[in-house]
């Protein structure tokens, strides 16, 4: 469920045994936990630990690393640029570490996010409420042939917040058991709709059967109160000054509380995995008996 790695520096060389342990645990659905990997904010950056830096519209402030564009912040001008630089520095550091730690040839660095708003008291519709257990599936970003969603998180609450600064997660049962229970409820594939949504620009690329199935599983899990209440789950509390890395398309997770996190999303083709058969794509093809892309 959780594999602890005692890495302390963002640029540390990592030995072969640790790399093996990391990739096997990750692909089997563990959360890699780095209890002593701190991301230090500069003296001039501590001011960004404030929910008011968000514009209040989106869940997170996000940075597109390809364009440098920052979304959903209330800041402007030099302040926005300084916030962007902090998020970029984290994203670049996380990318270097993931490239050093994992044996994959190419991980694509996607969006970097800053999450400065306390999770606990927010209000969302059920399907967008990440306090409910779910696997990640992005409505507008199809993963088509089962590209993976790998996410690196860092709790940047001040160290002296102690327990008050923890980010509280739940993680659920393994993907295969979950999929077995929910697959019968997955919506049927509608190729015309995927085509139209791509044409209209609702999605970046066309949704495959796999994407539709993953979105169905995401929604069905969040909408099932009995499942949320009764399914086996484990609480994980990530303290300030720690990081964690997880395949969020595979591991059922929920974020119950916590105020300040940075996050970097990565994508990779599943053929790069050491054990591709463990990917949601292959598990769903096997369970459904269908070709999903
Ligand atoms: C999520 O990916 O569901 C949210 C995780 C978090 O913000 O801690
Ligand atoms: Fe999620």
């Amino acid at each position: 469920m959780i594999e602890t790695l005692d890495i302390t520096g963002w640029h540390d060389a990592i030995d072969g045994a640790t790399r093996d342990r990391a990739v096997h645990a990750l692909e089997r659905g563990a959360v890699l936990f780095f209890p002593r990997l701190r991301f230090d904010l500069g003296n001039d950056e501590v001011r960004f630990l404030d929910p008011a830096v968000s514009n209040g519209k989106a869940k997170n402030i996000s940075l597109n690393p390809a364009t440098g564009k920052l979304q959903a912040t209330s800041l402007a001008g030099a302040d926005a640029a300084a916030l962007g630089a902090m998020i970029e520095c984290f994203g670049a550091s996380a990318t270097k570490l993931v490239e050093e730690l994992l044996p994959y040839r190419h991980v694509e660095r996607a969006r970097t996010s800053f999450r400065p708003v306390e999770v606990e008291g927010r209000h969302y519709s059920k399907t967008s409420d990440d306090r409910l257990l779910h696997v990640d599936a992005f409505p507008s970003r199809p993963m088509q042939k089962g590209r993976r969603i790998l996410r690196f998180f860092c709790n940047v609450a001040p160290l002296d917040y102690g327990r008050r600064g923890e980010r509280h997660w739940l993680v659920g049962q393994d993907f295969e058991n979950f999929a077995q229970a929910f697959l019968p409820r997955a919506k049927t594939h509608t190729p015309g709709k995927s085509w139209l949504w791509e044409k209209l620009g609702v999605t970046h690329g066309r949704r495959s059967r796999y994407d539709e199935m993953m979105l169905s599983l995401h929604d069905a899990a969040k909408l099932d109160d009995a499942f949320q209440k009764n399914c086996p789950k484990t609480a994980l509390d990530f303290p300030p000054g720690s990081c964690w890395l997880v395949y969020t398309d595979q591991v059922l997770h929920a974020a119950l509380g916590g105020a300040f996190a940075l996050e970097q999303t990565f994508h990779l083709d599943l053929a790069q995995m050491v054990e591709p058969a463990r990917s949601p794509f292959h598990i769903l093809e096997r369970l459904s008996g269908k070709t999903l892309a």
Side-chain angles (χ1 to χ4, degrees), residues 130 134 136 151 248 253:
D130 291 337
H134 64 283
D136 285 349
R151 295 186 130 168
T248 53
H253 61 284

Side-chain angles (χ1 to χ4, degrees), residues 160-212:
D160 59 12
Y161 273 34
R163 296 230 46 187
R164 183 164 66 93
E166 284 177 350
R167 201 161 189 89
H168 299 292
W169 272 35
L170 295 176
V171 293
Q173 72 209 99
D174 78 34
F175 184 83
E176 181 151 348
N177 284 333
F178 162 64
Q180 227 149 17
F182 280 88
L183 214 46
R185 290 186 239 172
K187 293 200 191 82
T188 49
H189 180 50
T190 41
K193 192 165 114 187
S194 304
W195 176 85
L196 183 66
W197 284 22
E198 183 188 17
K199 280 278 169 263
L200 294 175
V202 176
T203 59
H204 305 271
R206 193 171 310 177
R207 278 186 195 166
S208 63
R209 244 182 222 275
Y210 170 72
D211 290 302
E212 291 178 340

Side-chain angles (χ1 to χ4, degrees), residues 31 115 129-138 149 151 153 168-173 178 218 221-222 227-228 233-234 236 238 244 246-256:
V31 176
R115 304 168 178 227
D129 189 347
D130 291 337
R131 293 169 304 183
L132 298 169
L133 283 162
H134 64 283
V135 288
D136 285 349
F138 303 137
I149 304 173
R151 295 186 130 168
F153 291 88
H168 299 292
W169 272 35
L170 295 176
V171 293
Q173 72 209 99
F178 162 64
H218 169 275
K222 283 185 172 176
F227 169 76
Q228 293 291 330
K233 47 180 113 46
T234 305
L236 300 179
F238 302 107
W244 59 107
V246 56
Y247 273 120
T248 53
D249 54 358
Q250 171 179 2
V251 176
L252 275 161
H253 61 284
L256 303 186

